[in-house]
Amino acid sequence: MVPLSETMATFYHALLLDLSMTAYLAVIPVLGFIFWLFSGWKSVNIKWISIYNLVLLVLFSIISIVNFNIYREWGTKVNAKAFGFAFSSPGEAAASGASSPILLSLSILAFLIIAGYFLQKRLMPKTLTFEKSPIWLKALITVLLIVFNFTFIRGGIKGSPITQSMAYFSEEQLLNHAAVNTEWNLIRSILSEKMTRKNPYVYLDAKKADQLIQDLYTTEKDSTTSILTTNRPNVVMVIIESFTADLTQTLGNETGITPHFDSLMNKGVLFSNLYASGSRTDKGIIASLAGFPTLAAGSIVRYPEKMQKLPAISQSLAKNGYHTSFYYGGESEFDNYKAFILSHDYKKLIDKNNFKGNAPKSFWGQYDEAVFDRQLQELNTEKQPFYSTLLTLTNHEPYTLPGKSKFGNANNVEQFKSTAYYTDSCINAYLNNAKKQPWYKNTLFVFIADHGHILPKQIHDISTPGRYHVPLLFFGEVIKKEFRGKKYNNVGSQVDIAATLLAQLNIPSKEFNWSKNLLNPYTKPFAYFSWDNGMGFIDNEQCVTFDNVGKMTLFNSNDKDKEGTEKRLDLAKAYLQKVYQQFIAL
């Protein structure tokens, strides 16, 4: 329970950023006032300032309401990514927000606008009058106005200009985020998105960072445990929307949500301590298919010219005779998925635009059942060996279903569990039908979540490792019998799928420099993950997460181990620093 005094302190610590944003907005009125001051006019109509204020009032009220719901879903304040999402894919943005409390949001929006309007009417004069005064006094007033406004914009007269971290004051991240001015943060985010030539995450000397990362990836032997009966199986990779480990009984102690997948985990090869690289689908796709980690506040999908330079599993397999395909029930142009798919040797792309008929659809597109059926149908005529990727979407807000909800519709938790149960049933039906096909016995199925989720347990903050814990499962009759039901408990990451899979196929993976072979007994166990402005590092002994804005440790699974904490913080910093430097160089 957060003390009331600490909650109230949020308003005090928010002042600097609030005043800075106010000073930015005051630039135009201040310049107008200076002009009038020297114009010689005795009276000036300032009705346009009222209009200016009302436009900002409506705009900022809308941004505030959007921020409430963005924060609830994503765990971060509204930023450039959210606005880019809204403008590039307004329909999908509306679907994402469909689970928000619409009536409450509209009520608060109406209150903000109406209250602001009445304050405006009461406090703002319609005209300004000027008395005759000497030029030196006008000049002095002008200088003072400019100096004061610039000082507020800068955040004071301290050595460094204002940053978000000036609002951070609490160990409770919700309070820190509340203290950061929403509009200031949004503008800063938009400007930062354009900074692709400067690394914002330089924490360590370059040589030290290089050495730390090199030591992480150096193994005593380049070896692998061979779990397959052949090195040229068909490969089907299923990336499951929001399929957090917490949904399962095996990893999350939740009964009845994913009964079929829990059964599969006891029949395949399970990597039980696997962590998603980020918290959104765009980052999960790049990590899983290209072995490239997340960039904290940035996302490489926003830069197709850089993204296309990444290696991908599909490219490696295509070079080795595999026939490649990608299936998705939604719009493949969303978040530049299509740009990645088509630039990485996927020869066939099926998305919602390729489906016809009157089958039930969600706002996002086709339900998972239809996509699995389509892939199965077309794989029956595909030349072998093939590599096919399927990205599900039904387990995405607003959590709608083609039929009855298993757990109800009273709240987001029930809806989320119901869509997860539905996807689980689709996977079961898909595999049961696949077993009847001649290619099934020579096929390796790889199941991985795109990212974790705060639901269904609602206990994992964006900065805690549980938010990123996801299942990775290798399944199929192509797995040697002695490995079926085997669990590997060492910590690993989504980015490790590339090196692990390619090693089983005896295909080189050196270009995937961030990916390590989880089936090499000599591989060091660890995972890195990040969110908008923070990062974490976890290994078999400890997990530490760090906020890049507040410059503080947010989570530490063993805060008594000071040396271990510093070591893992340095590894997290070196990792993000090196990843971002590679992003710039692409």
Side-chain angles (χ1 to χ4, degrees):
M1 187 72 176
V2 179
L4 178 62
S5 59
E6 192 171 4
T7 301
M8 297 306 295
T10 304
F11 296 94
Y12 169 77
H13 289 278
L15 276 176
L16 276 179
L17 282 173
D18 289 345
L19 289 172
S20 178
M21 190 67 238
T22 302
Y24 275 114
L25 300 176
V27 168
I28 292 176
V30 165
L31 292 176
F33 181 86
I34 292 171
F35 172 78
W36 299 324
L37 189 62
F38 286 94
S39 68
W41 298 341
K42 293 183 179 180
S43 179
V44 178
N45 187 314
I46 58 170
K47 183 178 180 180
W48 70 267
I49 293 184
S50 296
I51 297 172
Y52 175 77
N53 286 342
L54 289 173
V55 169
L56 291 175
L57 170 67
V58 173
L59 177 63
F60 281 24
S61 297
I62 293 172
I63 291 173
S64 296
I65 297 303
V66 170
N67 181 68
F68 293 157
N69 296 306
I70 287 288
Y71 193 89
R72 185 174 61 84
E73 291 290 342
W74 290 10
T76 59
K77 302 202 76 161
V78 62
N79 52 27
K81 179 176 174 61
F83 262 62
F85 180 15
F87 283 108
S88 63
S89 306
E92 288 82 355
S96 281
S99 59
S100 302
I102 302 299
L103 184 59
L104 177 62
S105 298
L106 291 176
S107 299
I108 296 174
L109 177 62
F111 172 80
L112 290 174
I113 294 174
I114 293 170
Y117 173 78
F118 279 106
L119 284 172
Q120 157 81 18
K121 292 281 288 184
R122 188 170 185 83
L123 299 177
M124 278 298 299
K126 295 180 180 179
T127 60
L128 279 180
T129 57
F130 294 89
E131 295 182 0
K132 189 174 182 179
S133 55
I135 191 70
W136 66 265
L137 182 58
K138 294 179 181 180
L140 178 61
I141 293 172
T142 298
V143 170
L144 289 175
L145 279 173
I146 293 174
V147 169
F148 274 110
N149 206 65
F150 177 78
T151 301
F152 282 125
I153 286 175
R154 192 180 182 278
I157 57 175
K158 296 180 181 179
S160 59
I162 194 168
T163 64
Q164 292 104 314
S165 61
M166 290 185 178
Y168 277 55
F169 71 100
S170 173
E171 293 183 0
E172 182 64 40
Q173 286 304 293
L174 177 63
L175 299 183
N176 291 330
H177 294 161
V180 174
N181 182 278
T182 300
E183 290 73 25
W184 195 99
N185 183 75
L186 173 61
I187 293 171
R188 178 63 179 171
S189 173
I190 291 171
L191 294 175
S192 297
E193 280 287 296
K194 299 183 182 299
M195 297 178 182
T196 60
R197 296 185 179 181
K198 183 180 179 181
N199 191 340
Y201 305 114
V202 177
Y203 283 106
L204 306 171
D205 174 78
K207 290 184 179 179
K208 180 179 180 180
D210 288 344
Q211 190 60 53
L212 286 172
I213 300 304
Q214 182 179 332
D215 291 345
L216 266 182
Y217 283 90
T218 299
T219 58
E220 183 181 339
K221 292 182 182 180
D222 184 10
S223 176
T224 192
T225 301
S226 179
I227 65 171
L228 304 182
T229 59
T230 173
N231 62 8
R232 281 298 177 270
N234 303 309
V235 179
V236 174
M237 183 179 292
V238 180
I239 303 176
I240 317 173
E241 171 67 46
S242 302
F243 208 70
T244 172
D246 281 346
L247 285 167
T248 70
Q249 182 176 11
T250 305
L251 301 177
N253 201 31
E254 286 283 338
T255 59
I257 304 175
T258 61
H260 303 298
F261 198 80
D262 277 297
S263 176
L264 295 179
M265 286 194 283
N266 292 315
K267 298 175 183 177
V269 175
L270 175 67
F271 299 89
S272 60
N273 274 313
L274 202 286
Y275 291 83
S277 188
S279 58
R280 301 300 298 175
T281 303
D282 60 317
K283 299 183 178 186
I285 288 176
I286 299 299
S288 299
L289 301 182
F292 190 74
T294 52
L295 298 169
S299 179
I300 198 169
V301 299
R302 299 182 66 86
Y303 306 92
E305 71 283 357
K306 291 179 176 289
M307 182 172 60
Q308 67 184 10
K309 296 177 184 177
L310 295 176
I313 296 171
S314 51
Q315 289 176 313
S316 295
L317 296 187
K319 291 176 184 176
N320 284 271
Y322 277 76
H323 299 269
T324 55
S325 58
F326 195 106
Y327 292 81
Y328 178 50
E331 176 55 71
S332 62
E333 293 182 356
F334 173 68
D335 248 354
N336 283 324
Y337 297 169
K338 189 175 183 179
F340 173 81
I341 295 165
L342 298 184
S343 65
H344 288 85
D345 286 348
Y346 279 102
K347 301 304 180 184
K348 178 191 291 185
L349 169 60
I350 301 295
D351 70 1
K352 73 174 187 179
N353 300 304
N354 299 106
F355 287 83
K356 299 179 181 179
N358 298 317
K361 301 178 182 66
S362 72
F363 190 89
W364 288 103
Q366 295 290 324
Y367 285 107
D368 291 345
E369 181 180 6
V371 184
F372 277 115
D373 286 347
R374 178 67 175 266
Q375 186 199 47
L376 184 65
Q377 176 186 342
E378 297 191 0
L379 288 183
N380 288 335
T381 59
E382 186 66 87
K383 292 183 179 179
Q384 300 185 53
F386 55 72
Y387 169 65
S388 187
T389 303
L390 188 149
L391 174 61
T392 75
L393 57 69
T394 302
N395 199 39
H396 191 292
E397 64 264 24
Y399 315 121
T400 59
L401 285 170
K404 185 178 179 180
S405 296
K406 170 70 174 179
F407 297 96
N409 284 300
N411 52 55
N412 283 349
V413 174
E414 291 182 359
Q415 292 170 344
F416 181 74
K417 290 165 65 174
S418 295
T419 51
Y421 180 85
Y422 165 80
T423 297
D424 177 74
S425 68
C426 291
I427 291 172
N428 181 59
Y430 169 72
L431 290 175
N432 285 336
N433 288 326
K435 288 176 183 178
K436 304 172 186 177
Q437 313 309 322
W439 47 265
Y440 175 80
K441 290 185 177 181
N442 191 46
T443 301
L444 173 67
F445 297 90
V446 179
F447 295 95
I448 179 67
D450 58 348
H451 54 78
H453 209 281
I454 190 172
L455 301 175
K457 295 186 176 181
Q458 302 186 99
I459 59 173
H460 300 304
D461 181 79
I462 194 71
S463 62
T464 58
R467 185 69 170 261
Y468 303 86
H469 189 199
V470 295
L472 170 61
L473 176 69
F474 285 17
F475 178 82
E477 291 188 15
V478 75
I479 295 175
K480 295 175 181 176
K481 291 183 178 180
E482 61 266 32
F483 289 101
R484 298 178 193 175
K486 175 79 172 178
K487 292 179 175 63
Y488 288 89
N489 299 320
N490 280 342
V491 170
S493 167
Q494 272 177 330
V495 299
D496 300 329
I497 295 173
T500 305
L501 175 61
L502 294 177
Q504 292 300 307
L505 308 183
N506 198 24
I507 296 174
S509 61
K510 289 184 178 179
E511 66 267 38
F512 298 90
N513 57 305
W514 295 104
S515 186
K516 62 185 183 293
N517 181 3
L518 297 174
L519 290 171
N520 179 350
Y522 303 97
T523 292
K524 295 181 178 69
F526 70 89
Y528 152 90
F529 54 86
S530 72
W531 61 98
D532 276 8
N533 265 306
M535 58 191 169
F537 186 91
I538 182 170
D539 56 25
N540 285 0
E541 283 76 41
Q542 187 179 9
C543 177
V544 180
T545 69
F546 183 78
D547 189 291
N548 292 319
V549 177
K551 310 300 181 189
M552 64 176 71
T553 300
L554 301 180
F555 176 89
N556 189 347
S557 62
N558 185 10
D559 54 11
K560 294 181 180 179
D561 185 358
K562 304 298 183 184
E563 183 179 346
T565 298
E566 288 303 314
K567 173 186 174 182
R568 288 166 181 85
L569 281 175
D570 278 350
L571 287 170
K573 293 173 181 178
Y575 204 104
L576 178 55
Q577 180 175 324
K578 290 289 293 177
V579 170
Y580 206 95
Q581 201 59 48
Q582 182 180 338
F583 162 72
I584 292 172
L586 286 172

